[in-house]
Amino acid sequence: MSLIVQKFGGSSVADAESIKRVAKRIVDTKKAGNDIVVAVSAMGDSTDELLDLAHQVTPIPAPRELDMLLTAGERISMALLAMAIKSMGYDARSFTGSQAGMITDAQHGAARIVDVTPGRLRDALDEGAIAIVAGFQGFNRDTKDITTLGRGGSDTTAVALAAALGADICEIYTDVDGIFSADPRVVPRAHKLERVSSEEMLELAAAGAKVLYIRAVEYARRHGVTLHVRSSFNNNTGTIVYNPGAISPYAAAVLNGETVEEPIIAGVAADLSEAKVTVVGVPDIPGKAAQIFKIVAKTNANVDMIVQNVSAASTGLTDISFTLPKSEGQQVLTALTNEQQNVGFAGLQYDDQIGKLALVGAGMRTNTGVSAKLFEALFEAGINIEMISTSEIRISVVTRADTINQALRVVHTAFGLDADDEAVVHGGTGR
Ligand code: ADP
Ligand code: ASP
Ligand code: MG
């Protein structure tokens, strides 16, 4: 008998019919003799709808109340799912995040899990019941308030439960057949990956591949949880996210003893959520970059890429550009403007029409010519590169936002990643 954690995303429980379909799937796993804990997301796009509603009431909703509102979405789906399972003659019990022991820090909207005390889930399992847990939510012991784990956070709920309960596998059910070499909604010829290492998946998630939430991948990596990302619309094997050096028995069985040899490139991802700030006319003397980024750091903004131009010898001035989430743009501009006199720069430019493309693959470590091929493909498509950054297993470039989808497709083709057939997207709106 195995202990399996199954997570169903919003697109898998979008309406009553889908909930019944998912319930049947859970019951089938139970019938096969397994213990099951389920983490469930809010139905369809209901989290976005609740968010829209909040913003119709006030432009800046109070964080505590927003969490209270958004967690209602998962409460609805968990109760409906438990009802559906019970109506099929199997015992099921739903639990909120706090009932399930998801203890977090106090940061509303992006809380981190600090402890998991799943006593009530264990009791339910011991009594033969299926435990259904509301994803995306937790509870802070000091404030005694409800928190949320960040958008896409039901993935983290599932992984944290799998780690705390010592589950054999954490299955992430979604609206595509697994993790693809690119978002199949944008690159129809993306191919499904049989497996991807956790470090590659971390890079892909960080670069905008929302199929898995980055914090969930981090958590799984740290706690040695194997993930199986697959479709809730069919029974196909999906993608195994494995931890190299510690292949679990489940991962070994699914991977069928194949030698784990990394392909050079795992995939490409794009991110349209960032903006570029350029600090123009910065005196090219030691200490200026430090001064600028100290000001930025005080706002807690997450700076991603940084580029400093060669300064014109005649002026002794340079430009420094960096990217950051659009949502943090305004506060950073304000902070820099307030210190303009001190730093002595000439002005600021803000550009929110950028897109970032990332090419990810562990094989980059040992293969040369990857960047040349990437730049060549973009050049041939007439796409201009504005910024470049690299890590050991990733190359990222910034382009105009309106060229990003084309960029994804040409790069995908250039690296020989195109499949023969088009990928199937089973549901969801991609919102
Ligand atoms: P869920 O509601 O199940 O959490 P999400 O919408 O969060 O689903 O994630 C699934 C979506 O992620 C897919 O429909 C797909 O459009 C998108 N996606 C982006 N990049 C990838 C990728 N590399 N592989 C698969 N799906 C991807
Ligand atoms: N319902 C939440 C969201 O839409 C959490 C999740 O789906 O993972 O972000
Ligand atoms: Mg998701």
Side-chain angles (χ1 to χ4, degrees), residues 183-224:
D183 184 345
R185 285 179 205 272
V186 180
V187 182
R189 292 210 179 271
H191 71 269
K192 192 190 85 189
L193 308 176
E194 300 291 316
R195 55 168 175 260
V196 65
S197 67
S198 52
E199 60 168 354
E200 288 169 312
M201 192 58 229
L202 267 182
E203 291 279 9
L204 286 170
K210 72 161 184 173
V211 60
L212 280 179
Y213 183 44
I214 184 164
R215 285 190 179 176
V217 184
E218 271 168 5
Y219 203 104
R221 187 172 161 84
R222 220 174 323 121
H223 292 85

mmCIF file of all heavy atoms in Angstrom, residues 183-224:
data_model
loop_
_atom_site.group_PDB
_atom_site.id
_atom_site.type_symbol
_atom_site.label_atom_id
_atom_site.label_comp_id
_atom_site.label_asym_id
_atom_site.label_seq_id
_atom_site.Cartn_x
_atom_site.Cartn_y
_atom_site.Cartn_z
ATOM 1 N N ASP A 183 5.555 26.251 -23.141
ATOM 2 C CA ASP A 183 4.121 26.297 -22.869
ATOM 3 C C ASP A 183 3.363 25.882 -24.136
ATOM 4 O O ASP A 183 3.427 26.562 -25.160
ATOM 5 C CB ASP A 183 3.728 27.726 -22.483
ATOM 6 C CG ASP A 183 2.257 27.833 -22.089
ATOM 7 O OD1 ASP A 183 1.483 26.895 -22.385
ATOM 8 O OD2 ASP A 183 1.890 28.858 -21.488
ATOM 9 N N PRO A 184 2.637 24.753 -24.095
ATOM 10 C CA PRO A 184 1.960 24.283 -25.312
ATOM 11 C C PRO A 184 0.883 25.238 -25.821
ATOM 12 O O PRO A 184 0.460 25.128 -26.976
ATOM 13 C CB PRO A 184 1.363 22.934 -24.907
ATOM 14 C CG PRO A 184 1.471 22.842 -23.434
ATOM 15 C CD PRO A 184 2.476 23.839 -22.960
ATOM 16 N N ARG A 185 0.443 26.174 -24.988
ATOM 17 C CA ARG A 185 -0.533 27.165 -25.487
ATOM 18 C C ARG A 185 0.138 28.147 -26.449
ATOM 19 O O ARG A 185 -0.528 28.791 -27.245
ATOM 20 C CB ARG A 185 -1.118 27.984 -24.320
ATOM 21 C CG ARG A 185 -2.119 27.223 -23.503
ATOM 22 C CD ARG A 185 -2.640 28.104 -22.357
ATOM 23 N NE ARG A 185 -3.093 27.251 -21.282
ATOM 24 C CZ ARG A 185 -4.332 26.766 -21.195
ATOM 25 N NH1 ARG A 185 -5.238 27.079 -22.079
ATOM 26 N NH2 ARG A 185 -4.653 25.975 -20.187
ATOM 27 N N VAL A 186 1.444 28.301 -26.317
ATOM 28 C CA VAL A 186 2.175 29.275 -27.134
ATOM 29 C C VAL A 186 2.979 28.583 -28.231
ATOM 30 O O VAL A 186 3.093 29.080 -29.337
ATOM 31 C CB VAL A 186 3.127 30.117 -26.243
ATOM 32 C CG1 VAL A 186 3.885 31.133 -27.086
ATOM 33 C CG2 VAL A 186 2.357 30.794 -25.124
ATOM 34 N N VAL A 187 3.544 27.423 -27.889
ATOM 35 C CA VAL A 187 4.349 26.664 -28.843
ATOM 36 C C VAL A 187 3.638 25.327 -29.064
ATOM 37 O O VAL A 187 3.850 24.371 -28.322
ATOM 38 C CB VAL A 187 5.783 26.431 -28.294
ATOM 39 C CG1 VAL A 187 6.631 25.677 -29.313
ATOM 40 C CG2 VAL A 187 6.438 27.760 -27.929
ATOM 41 N N PRO A 188 2.771 25.254 -30.070
ATOM 42 C CA PRO A 188 1.940 24.050 -30.234
ATOM 43 C C PRO A 188 2.762 22.775 -30.417
ATOM 44 O O PRO A 188 2.315 21.706 -30.034
ATOM 45 C CB PRO A 188 1.125 24.353 -31.497
ATOM 46 C CG PRO A 188 1.162 25.837 -31.647
ATOM 47 C CD PRO A 188 2.456 26.294 -31.071
ATOM 48 N N ARG A 189 3.964 22.902 -30.978
ATOM 49 C CA ARG A 189 4.765 21.699 -31.189
ATOM 50 C C ARG A 189 5.713 21.392 -30.031
ATOM 51 O O ARG A 189 6.697 20.653 -30.175
ATOM 52 C CB ARG A 189 5.536 21.789 -32.499
ATOM 53 C CG ARG A 189 4.601 21.753 -33.686
ATOM 54 C CD ARG A 189 5.202 21.143 -34.926
ATOM 55 N NE ARG A 189 4.224 21.124 -36.007
ATOM 56 C CZ ARG A 189 3.372 20.127 -36.210
ATOM 57 N NH1 ARG A 189 3.382 19.050 -35.455
ATOM 58 N NH2 ARG A 189 2.503 20.189 -37.194
ATOM 59 N N ALA A 190 5.411 21.943 -28.873
ATOM 60 C CA ALA A 190 6.210 21.605 -27.687
ATOM 61 C C ALA A 190 6.086 20.105 -27.439
ATOM 62 O O ALA A 190 5.041 19.513 -27.709
ATOM 63 C CB ALA A 190 5.679 22.381 -26.488
ATOM 64 N N HIS A 191 7.149 19.472 -26.932
ATOM 65 C CA HIS A 191 7.040 18.032 -26.643
ATOM 66 C C HIS A 191 7.044 17.784 -25.141
ATOM 67 O O HIS A 191 7.646 18.539 -24.372
ATOM 68 C CB HIS A 191 8.146 17.231 -27.347
ATOM 69 C CG HIS A 191 9.516 17.436 -26.775
ATOM 70 N ND1 HIS A 191 10.375 18.404 -27.227
ATOM 71 C CD2 HIS A 191 10.173 16.797 -25.787
ATOM 72 C CE1 HIS A 191 11.499 18.349 -26.533
ATOM 73 N NE2 HIS A 191 11.410 17.384 -25.653
ATOM 74 N N LYS A 192 6.370 16.733 -24.750
ATOM 75 C CA LYS A 192 6.294 16.398 -23.324
ATOM 76 C C LYS A 192 7.628 15.816 -22.879
ATOM 77 O O LYS A 192 8.199 14.968 -23.561
ATOM 78 C CB LYS A 192 5.181 15.376 -23.090
ATOM 79 C CG LYS A 192 4.866 15.211 -21.620
ATOM 80 C CD LYS A 192 3.947 14.044 -21.379
ATOM 81 C CE LYS A 192 4.738 12.758 -21.281
ATOM 82 N NZ LYS A 192 3.884 11.580 -21.252
ATOM 83 N N LEU A 193 8.097 16.278 -21.723
ATOM 84 C CA LEU A 193 9.348 15.732 -21.183
ATOM 85 C C LEU A 193 9.004 14.486 -20.367
ATOM 86 O O LEU A 193 8.039 14.498 -19.603
ATOM 87 C CB LEU A 193 10.038 16.769 -20.290
ATOM 88 C CG LEU A 193 10.256 18.167 -20.907
ATOM 89 C CD1 LEU A 193 10.855 19.110 -19.872
ATOM 90 C CD2 LEU A 193 11.175 18.079 -22.128
ATOM 91 N N GLU A 194 9.775 13.417 -20.538
ATOM 92 C CA GLU A 194 9.580 12.227 -19.703
ATOM 93 C C GLU A 194 9.961 12.556 -18.264
ATOM 94 O O GLU A 194 9.349 12.091 -17.319
ATOM 95 C CB GLU A 194 10.497 11.084 -20.162
ATOM 96 C CG GLU A 194 10.292 10.627 -21.599
ATOM 97 C CD GLU A 194 8.963 9.934 -21.744
ATOM 98 O OE1 GLU A 194 8.645 9.119 -20.863
ATOM 99 O OE2 GLU A 194 8.250 10.223 -22.725
ATOM 100 N N ARG A 195 11.042 13.329 -18.156
ATOM 101 C CA ARG A 195 11.557 13.670 -16.839
ATOM 102 C C ARG A 195 12.294 14.986 -16.941
ATOM 103 O O ARG A 195 12.744 15.385 -18.018
ATOM 104 C CB ARG A 195 12.540 12.595 -16.371
ATOM 105 C CG ARG A 195 13.626 12.407 -17.404
ATOM 106 C CD ARG A 195 14.772 11.591 -16.916
ATOM 107 N NE ARG A 195 15.683 11.372 -18.020
ATOM 108 C CZ ARG A 195 15.745 10.260 -18.735
ATOM 109 N NH1 ARG A 195 14.958 9.249 -18.435
ATOM 110 N NH2 ARG A 195 16.586 10.159 -19.714
ATOM 111 N N VAL A 196 12.394 15.649 -15.817
ATOM 112 C CA VAL A 196 13.171 16.887 -15.767
ATOM 113 C C VAL A 196 13.792 16.946 -14.377
ATOM 114 O O VAL A 196 13.169 16.524 -13.394
ATOM 115 C CB VAL A 196 12.278 18.108 -16.113
ATOM 116 C CG1 VAL A 196 11.183 18.315 -15.074
ATOM 117 C CG2 VAL A 196 13.091 19.377 -16.281
ATOM 118 N N SER A 197 15.028 17.397 -14.284
ATOM 119 C CA SER A 197 15.663 17.457 -12.962
ATOM 120 C C SER A 197 15.089 18.642 -12.198
ATOM 121 O O SER A 197 14.616 19.617 -12.791
ATOM 122 C CB SER A 197 17.178 17.606 -13.110
ATOM 123 O OG SER A 197 17.474 18.869 -13.665
ATOM 124 N N SER A 198 15.153 18.557 -10.874
ATOM 125 C CA SER A 198 14.566 19.638 -10.077
ATOM 126 C C SER A 198 15.290 20.960 -10.334
ATOM 127 O O SER A 198 14.668 22.010 -10.316
ATOM 128 C CB SER A 198 14.579 19.271 -8.593
ATOM 129 O OG SER A 198 15.862 18.876 -8.202
ATOM 130 N N GLU A 199 16.584 20.900 -10.619
ATOM 131 C CA GLU A 199 17.287 22.175 -10.863
ATOM 132 C C GLU A 199 16.844 22.813 -12.178
ATOM 133 O O GLU A 199 16.671 24.035 -12.252
ATOM 134 C CB GLU A 199 18.814 22.005 -10.838
ATOM 135 C CG GLU A 199 19.346 21.056 -11.873
ATOM 136 C CD GLU A 199 20.879 21.128 -12.027
ATOM 137 O OE1 GLU A 199 21.525 21.991 -11.419
ATOM 138 O OE2 GLU A 199 21.401 20.298 -12.779
ATOM 139 N N GLU A 200 16.593 22.001 -13.203
ATOM 140 C CA GLU A 200 16.088 22.562 -14.453
ATOM 141 C C GLU A 200 14.669 23.103 -14.249
ATOM 142 O O GLU A 200 14.312 24.164 -14.754
ATOM 143 C CB GLU A 200 16.084 21.500 -15.560
ATOM 144 C CG GLU A 200 17.479 21.144 -16.056
ATOM 145 C CD GLU A 200 17.472 19.910 -16.957
ATOM 146 O OE1 GLU A 200 16.850 18.891 -16.574
ATOM 147 O OE2 GLU A 200 18.077 19.959 -18.029
ATOM 148 N N MET A 201 13.856 22.356 -13.515
ATOM 149 C CA MET A 201 12.480 22.798 -13.284
ATOM 150 C C MET A 201 12.453 24.098 -12.492
ATOM 151 O O MET A 201 11.605 24.960 -12.731
ATOM 152 C CB MET A 201 11.683 21.699 -12.571
ATOM 153 C CG MET A 201 10.184 21.971 -12.562
ATOM 154 S SD MET A 201 9.480 22.171 -14.242
ATOM 155 C CE MET A 201 8.530 23.682 -14.054
ATOM 156 N N LEU A 202 13.395 24.245 -11.547
ATOM 157 C CA LEU A 202 13.479 25.502 -10.791
ATOM 158 C C LEU A 202 13.742 26.664 -11.733
ATOM 159 O O LEU A 202 13.105 27.723 -11.627
ATOM 160 C CB LEU A 202 14.651 25.441 -9.800
ATOM 161 C CG LEU A 202 14.380 24.973 -8.395
ATOM 162 C CD1 LEU A 202 15.663 25.048 -7.576
ATOM 163 C CD2 LEU A 202 13.302 25.829 -7.741
ATOM 164 N N GLU A 203 14.666 26.475 -12.662
ATOM 165 C CA GLU A 203 14.991 27.547 -13.622
ATOM 166 C C GLU A 203 13.790 27.842 -14.514
ATOM 167 O O GLU A 203 13.479 28.999 -14.784
ATOM 168 C CB GLU A 203 16.196 27.167 -14.491
ATOM 169 C CG GLU A 203 17.518 27.108 -13.735
ATOM 170 C CD GLU A 203 18.158 28.485 -13.530
ATOM 171 O OE1 GLU A 203 17.509 29.509 -13.827
ATOM 172 O OE2 GLU A 203 19.306 28.526 -13.053
ATOM 173 N N LEU A 204 13.110 26.777 -14.988
ATOM 174 C CA LEU A 204 11.949 26.981 -15.860
ATOM 175 C C LEU A 204 10.844 27.719 -15.108
ATOM 176 O O LEU A 204 10.234 28.654 -15.633
ATOM 177 C CB LEU A 204 11.430 25.641 -16.394
ATOM 178 C CG LEU A 204 12.270 24.982 -17.488
ATOM 179 C CD1 LEU A 204 11.800 23.550 -17.752
ATOM 180 C CD2 LEU A 204 12.202 25.792 -18.794
ATOM 181 N N ALA A 205 10.605 27.305 -13.865
ATOM 182 C CA ALA A 205 9.542 27.951 -13.074
ATOM 183 C C ALA A 205 9.909 29.406 -12.807
ATOM 184 O O ALA A 205 9.068 30.302 -12.915
ATOM 185 C CB ALA A 205 9.318 27.197 -11.773
ATOM 186 N N ALA A 206 11.177 29.654 -12.496
ATOM 187 C CA ALA A 206 11.619 31.033 -12.237
ATOM 188 C C ALA A 206 11.484 31.876 -13.495
ATOM 189 O O ALA A 206 11.303 33.085 -13.433
ATOM 190 C CB ALA A 206 13.064 31.042 -11.748
ATOM 191 N N ALA A 207 11.567 31.229 -14.652
ATOM 192 C CA ALA A 207 11.536 31.959 -15.925
ATOM 193 C C ALA A 207 10.117 32.100 -16.462
ATOM 194 O O ALA A 207 9.937 32.575 -17.576
ATOM 195 C CB ALA A 207 12.428 31.249 -16.939
ATOM 196 N N GLY A 208 9.116 31.644 -15.720
ATOM 197 C CA GLY A 208 7.736 31.910 -16.126
ATOM 198 C C GLY A 208 6.903 30.703 -16.525
ATOM 199 O O GLY A 208 5.752 30.862 -16.895
ATOM 200 N N ALA A 209 7.472 29.490 -16.462
ATOM 201 C CA ALA A 209 6.684 28.295 -16.801
ATOM 202 C C ALA A 209 5.768 27.977 -15.631
ATOM 203 O O ALA A 209 6.162 27.319 -14.681
ATOM 204 C CB ALA A 209 7.604 27.108 -17.094
ATOM 205 N N LYS A 210 4.522 28.461 -15.701
ATOM 206 C CA LYS A 210 3.688 28.406 -14.486
ATOM 207 C C LYS A 210 3.098 27.022 -14.216
ATOM 208 O O LYS A 210 2.301 26.867 -13.299
ATOM 209 C CB LYS A 210 2.578 29.447 -14.565
ATOM 210 C CG LYS A 210 1.496 29.096 -15.554
ATOM 211 C CD LYS A 210 0.231 29.878 -15.267
ATOM 212 C CE LYS A 210 -0.847 29.422 -16.212
ATOM 213 N NZ LYS A 210 -2.143 29.977 -15.945
ATOM 214 N N VAL A 211 3.496 25.999 -14.983
ATOM 215 C CA VAL A 211 2.948 24.664 -14.756
ATOM 216 C C VAL A 211 3.245 24.180 -13.338
ATOM 217 O O VAL A 211 2.452 23.443 -12.755
ATOM 218 C CB VAL A 211 3.432 23.668 -15.838
ATOM 219 C CG1 VAL A 211 4.936 23.529 -15.849
ATOM 220 C CG2 VAL A 211 2.747 22.328 -15.708
ATOM 221 N N LEU A 212 4.349 24.624 -12.756
ATOM 222 C CA LEU A 212 4.627 24.350 -11.339
ATOM 223 C C LEU A 212 5.058 25.657 -10.673
ATOM 224 O O LEU A 212 5.807 26.434 -11.257
ATOM 225 C CB LEU A 212 5.756 23.332 -11.174
ATOM 226 C CG LEU A 212 5.429 21.858 -11.341
ATOM 227 C CD1 LEU A 212 6.701 21.032 -11.157
ATOM 228 C CD2 LEU A 212 4.356 21.402 -10.354
ATOM 229 N N TYR A 213 4.603 25.856 -9.462
ATOM 230 C CA TYR A 213 4.956 27.065 -8.716
ATOM 231 C C TYR A 213 6.372 26.900 -8.166
ATOM 232 O O TYR A 213 6.705 25.865 -7.586
ATOM 233 C CB TYR A 213 3.937 27.244 -7.587
ATOM 234 C CG TYR A 213 4.108 28.484 -6.752
ATOM 235 C CD1 TYR A 213 4.377 29.717 -7.345
ATOM 236 C CD2 TYR A 213 3.963 28.442 -5.377
ATOM 237 C CE1 TYR A 213 4.503 30.857 -6.570
ATOM 238 C CE2 TYR A 213 4.078 29.576 -4.594
ATOM 239 C CZ TYR A 213 4.357 30.782 -5.199
ATOM 240 O OH TYR A 213 4.484 31.909 -4.427
ATOM 241 N N ILE A 214 7.175 27.927 -8.351
ATOM 242 C CA ILE A 214 8.599 27.795 -8.021
ATOM 243 C C ILE A 214 8.838 27.363 -6.566
ATOM 244 O O ILE A 214 9.693 26.525 -6.295
ATOM 245 C CB ILE A 214 9.374 29.091 -8.358
ATOM 246 C CG1 ILE A 214 10.863 28.882 -8.105
ATOM 247 C CG2 ILE A 214 8.853 30.289 -7.611
ATOM 248 C CD1 ILE A 214 11.752 29.915 -8.742
ATOM 249 N N ARG A 215 8.047 27.893 -5.654
ATOM 250 C CA ARG A 215 8.288 27.529 -4.252
ATOM 251 C C ARG A 215 8.005 26.048 -3.998
ATOM 252 O O ARG A 215 8.596 25.434 -3.125
ATOM 253 C CB ARG A 215 7.442 28.391 -3.317
ATOM 254 C CG ARG A 215 7.975 29.795 -3.196
ATOM 255 C CD ARG A 215 7.249 30.499 -2.080
ATOM 256 N NE ARG A 215 7.746 31.856 -1.918
ATOM 257 C CZ ARG A 215 7.224 32.722 -1.053
ATOM 258 N NH1 ARG A 215 6.197 32.368 -0.302
ATOM 259 N NH2 ARG A 215 7.719 33.934 -0.941
ATOM 260 N N ALA A 216 7.087 25.500 -4.779
ATOM 261 C CA ALA A 216 6.792 24.069 -4.635
ATOM 262 C C ALA A 216 7.976 23.239 -5.122
ATOM 263 O O ALA A 216 8.335 22.220 -4.520
ATOM 264 C CB ALA A 216 5.531 23.711 -5.425
ATOM 265 N N VAL A 217 8.598 23.686 -6.199
ATOM 266 C CA VAL A 217 9.752 22.961 -6.731
ATOM 267 C C VAL A 217 10.914 23.029 -5.729
ATOM 268 O O VAL A 217 11.589 22.035 -5.460
ATOM 269 C CB VAL A 217 10.192 23.536 -8.103
ATOM 270 C CG1 VAL A 217 11.318 22.709 -8.697
ATOM 271 C CG2 VAL A 217 9.015 23.595 -9.061
ATOM 272 N N GLU A 218 11.107 24.225 -5.165
ATOM 273 C CA GLU A 218 12.160 24.405 -4.143
ATOM 274 C C GLU A 218 11.924 23.477 -2.956
ATOM 275 O O GLU A 218 12.837 22.810 -2.472
ATOM 276 C CB GLU A 218 12.104 25.846 -3.582
ATOM 277 C CG GLU A 218 12.922 26.854 -4.308
ATOM 278 C CD GLU A 218 12.561 28.288 -3.852
ATOM 279 O OE1 GLU A 218 11.750 28.478 -2.904
ATOM 280 O OE2 GLU A 218 13.068 29.191 -4.474
ATOM 281 N N TYR A 219 10.682 23.464 -2.496
ATOM 282 C CA TYR A 219 10.321 22.670 -1.321
ATOM 283 C C TYR A 219 10.557 21.188 -1.605
ATOM 284 O O TYR A 219 11.109 20.449 -0.785
ATOM 285 C CB TYR A 219 8.852 22.926 -0.983
ATOM 286 C CG TYR A 219 8.479 22.650 0.460
ATOM 287 C CD1 TYR A 219 8.291 23.696 1.354
ATOM 288 C CD2 TYR A 219 8.306 21.347 0.930
ATOM 289 C CE1 TYR A 219 7.934 23.453 2.671
ATOM 290 C CE2 TYR A 219 7.952 21.095 2.253
ATOM 291 C CZ TYR A 219 7.763 22.154 3.116
ATOM 292 O OH TYR A 219 7.421 21.900 4.421
ATOM 293 N N ALA A 220 10.151 20.766 -2.795
ATOM 294 C CA ALA A 220 10.311 19.357 -3.177
ATOM 295 C C ALA A 220 11.791 18.984 -3.237
ATOM 296 O O ALA A 220 12.205 17.911 -2.814
ATOM 297 C CB ALA A 220 9.649 19.105 -4.531
ATOM 298 N N ARG A 221 12.584 19.897 -3.756
ATOM 299 C CA ARG A 221 14.018 19.644 -3.872
ATOM 300 C C ARG A 221 14.654 19.519 -2.486
ATOM 301 O O ARG A 221 15.424 18.612 -2.210
ATOM 302 C CB ARG A 221 14.643 20.808 -4.645
ATOM 303 C CG ARG A 221 16.095 20.630 -5.004
ATOM 304 C CD ARG A 221 16.479 21.782 -5.937
ATOM 305 N NE ARG A 221 17.905 21.974 -6.006
ATOM 306 C CZ ARG A 221 18.702 21.282 -6.813
ATOM 307 N NH1 ARG A 221 18.209 20.362 -7.596
ATOM 308 N NH2 ARG A 221 19.997 21.521 -6.822
ATOM 309 N N ARG A 222 14.273 20.442 -1.619
ATOM 310 C CA ARG A 222 14.860 20.455 -0.277
ATOM 311 C C ARG A 222 14.452 19.223 0.537
ATOM 312 O O ARG A 222 15.223 18.707 1.327
ATOM 313 C CB ARG A 222 14.433 21.736 0.457
ATOM 314 C CG ARG A 222 15.543 22.345 1.268
ATOM 315 C CD ARG A 222 15.194 23.698 1.887
ATOM 316 N NE ARG A 222 14.378 24.557 1.063
ATOM 317 C CZ ARG A 222 13.184 25.014 1.434
ATOM 318 N NH1 ARG A 222 12.655 24.692 2.591
ATOM 319 N NH2 ARG A 222 12.511 25.808 0.627
ATOM 320 N N HIS A 223 13.228 18.751 0.337
ATOM 321 C CA HIS A 223 12.731 17.639 1.154
ATOM 322 C C HIS A 223 12.742 16.307 0.420
ATOM 323 O O HIS A 223 12.180 15.324 0.912
ATOM 324 C CB HIS A 223 11.317 17.952 1.652
ATOM 325 C CG HIS A 223 11.279 19.080 2.639
ATOM 326 N ND1 HIS A 223 11.229 20.397 2.251
ATOM 327 C CD2 HIS A 223 11.319 19.100 3.988
ATOM 328 C CE1 HIS A 223 11.224 21.176 3.323
ATOM 329 N NE2 HIS A 223 11.279 20.404 4.392
ATOM 330 N N GLY A 224 13.340 16.276 -0.758
ATOM 331 C CA GLY A 224 13.467 15.002 -1.477
ATOM 332 C C GLY A 224 12.131 14.415 -1.924
ATOM 333 O O GLY A 224 11.954 13.202 -1.955
#
